[in-house]
Amino acid sequence: MRSAADGYLFRPTSVDEIRAILLLAKETGRQITLRGAGRSYGDANIGSETLVVDIGRMRRILSWDPSTGHIDCEGGVTIEGLWRHTIEDGYWPPVVSGTMYPTLAGALAMNIHGKNNFRVGTLGEQVVDMDVLFPTGELRTLTPADDLFYCVISGAGLLGVIVRVKLKMKRIHSGDLRVLATAPRNWDEQFAEFERHEPNADYMVSWVDCFGRGTESGRGQFHAAWYMDDGHEFSSSFRPEHQDLPDTIMGLVPKSVVWRFLKILNNRWGMRFINWGKDFASKTIGNNKVHPQSLVGFSFLLDYVPNWRNAYLPGGFIQYQTFVPKEHAKEVFARQVAMQQEAGLESFLGVLKRHRPDKFLFSHAVDGYSLALDFKVTRENWSRLENLCHRMNDVVLAAGGRFYFAKDSTLRPSDVDAYLGGDTLSRYRRLKSELDPDALLTHNLAKRLGL
């Protein structure tokens, strides 16, 4: 919703070409928006009447060393590009988002997290070093020993252009995970599952049925996953053809048409039925069972349902994610779901994850949990939905919670002031005036939030 704008698209292939775009912006009085792959859910990757820089053509792997696990590449390499390049050598990206299509530069600008955040932290914590081109034209190499490293990573593309990254990949012994599925019946059981598996699981995530009420509020399906060690030097599960998921369901129905069926059911009553069916299956078929699943299947399932977002047309959807300290998470998330039900605006998909804090400038992380919610947007419900999100923001802020710029469409400037705090914002503005004195780097989210 409202996530479109006219701009002037540039697709550079080198650092020098990006420098030329910076110069052009100064000469023409325009600003620049860094787009990456355009996978942020809100308006952080679009800029009205700006020079839009898509670095997707800067996607060369510069070096790969299986003996150390270090991969050196340009910022336009995607998460998919990483795993496809390294998996046959027994390596996997240390942190991945729920889709494999973001660029590495964009993923670091937002400092993405994954289902293993509680264990290894964010993607930024896995970086060995990186080259950043600042709007002044200066190219600088940053490492974790530099304070600026923690500001550019998470800086939402407002301080500099990440043009090269050296990343430490994760050594694996199988391309499959061992996955345990359980069926929590309420919020108490959801959080008990996370606490039970936190000491030893490599990944944890849970689906939450936002239509569940009363004693079943918070019901869903929890997954814990562990890396497998098959004891062999080489595993056939490392093959890309093992990782790539089939393009049909049960060998019959092409996944390319699935979104058309989802669109029919993509309404409040249809999704209530789908959520009920998933809950029923979780309790009866898959409960307390362990099964193998490929890393790609576990991590990027929706990527193999072509055009699944079309099911939300014509208005699209927003993803709303909040991060709440563990002391208050259960209370806050239960309240959020109750507020949705009271408003008749239930999220069609809820995803619960465990997190740990970090020291990045625009950090969204807490020692606690996050709940990501997908809301269908229509012309008729937008004002009510925006109002609901604002009221949920107030509940989150009162509990000391935080937000995530990659998944924001509804934050207000006052929300940002409250969760980031005056010291963080003052530090950002000092850096902005030093590194980008002409305020060249911007996007619609930054304008909306006064950044």
Side-chain angles (χ1 to χ4, degrees), residues 117-337:
N117 184 262
F118 70 99
R119 173 73 59 211
V120 304
T122 60
L123 183 63
E125 294 176 62
Q126 321 306 317
V127 174
V128 178
D129 62 55
M130 63 182 184
D131 287 347
V132 181
L133 179 64
F134 293 102
T136 58
E138 178 188 8
L139 182 66
R140 195 183 305 182
T141 299
L142 300 177
T143 75
D146 302 306
D147 289 340
L148 192 53
F149 176 93
Y150 298 93
C151 302
V152 174
I153 295 177
S154 83
L158 296 172
L159 296 176
V161 189
I162 300 171
V163 294
R164 183 197 62 83
V165 180
K166 181 183 287 187
L167 191 69
K168 178 66 188 284
M169 299 292 280
K170 167 68 179 177
R171 184 74 171 96
I172 55 175
H173 300 281
S174 172
D176 290 334
L177 295 169
R178 182 167 56 90
V179 182
L180 168 68
T182 66
R185 293 172 294 180
N186 50 47
W187 288 110
D188 286 339
E189 292 188 9
Q190 284 276 15
F191 285 92
E193 287 295 289
F194 278 92
E195 291 170 3
R196 179 159 71 99
H197 294 286
E198 183 176 349
N200 58 62
D202 292 307
Y203 297 92
M204 294 191 298
V205 65
S206 191
W207 161 74
V208 178
D209 177 6
C210 294
F211 291 91
R213 294 174 176 266
T215 58
E216 291 195 320
S217 178
R219 69 186 183 189
Q221 186 177 52
F222 170 88
H223 288 102
W226 294 262
Y227 292 110
M228 294 174 64
D229 185 352
D230 63 8
H232 299 289
E233 287 296 316
F234 178 82
S235 170
S236 61
S237 64
F238 292 153
R239 293 284 193 184
E241 55 265 31
H242 175 82
Q243 294 296 322
D244 284 321
L245 303 182
D247 57 7
T248 60
I249 298 174
M250 297 180 0
L252 298 172
V253 181
K255 288 182 179 177
S256 59
V257 303
V258 168
W259 73 267
R260 299 182 185 277
F261 294 100
L262 289 176
K263 188 173 176 61
I264 296 171
L265 294 171
N266 203 302
N267 56 69
R268 192 179 176 206
W269 297 106
M271 296 308 295
R272 183 191 296 272
F273 173 76
I274 288 177
N275 275 262
W276 173 84
K278 183 173 174 63
D279 179 66
F280 179 79
S282 300
K283 292 174 180 175
T284 56
I285 300 174
N287 195 18
N288 286 310
K289 293 182 179 178
V290 177
H291 64 278
Q293 188 173 15
S294 72
L295 281 157
V296 165
F298 181 80
S299 305
F300 313 123
L301 189 61
L302 277 178
D303 283 347
Y304 285 85
V305 182
N307 302 314
W308 66 267
R309 292 171 181 80
N310 289 352
Y312 285 92
L313 292 177
F317 73 102
I318 62 170
Q319 189 166 106
Y320 173 93
Q321 186 173 21
T322 51
F323 300 73
V324 180
K326 59 186 178 183
E327 297 83 5
H328 306 293
K330 180 166 58 176
E331 174 190 355
V332 169
F333 297 155
R335 179 62 186 138
Q336 285 182 330
V337 170

Side-chain angles (χ1 to χ4, degrees), residues 32-104:
I32 291 173
T33 295
L34 305 179
R35 183 162 173 81
R39 289 285 162 168
S40 289
Y41 282 90
D43 52 358
N45 52 32
I46 60 174
S48 303
E49 295 298 320
T50 65
L51 309 185
V52 179
V53 177
D54 171 0
I55 67 165
R57 288 180 174 173
M58 296 177 63
R59 56 179 182 267
R60 292 181 302 162
I61 304 292
L62 303 174
S63 68
W64 161 235
D65 186 352
S67 68
T68 63
H70 288 181
I71 189 166
D72 204 345
C73 52
E74 292 181 317
V77 170
T78 63
I79 294 171
E80 179 184 20
L82 289 176
W83 76 256
R84 287 194 185 278
H85 195 85
T86 64
I87 194 163
E88 290 184 274
D89 290 323
Y91 284 88
W92 179 254
V95 172
V96 299
S97 51
T99 172
M100 69 176 88
Y101 300 130
T103 63
L104 193 49

Side-chain angles (χ1 to χ4, degrees), residues 367-381:
D367 181 8
Y369 296 82
S370 73
L371 181 63
L373 304 165
D374 286 5
F375 291 102
K376 183 177 181 178
V377 175
T378 67
R379 187 181 301 275
E380 293 75 22
N381 80 358

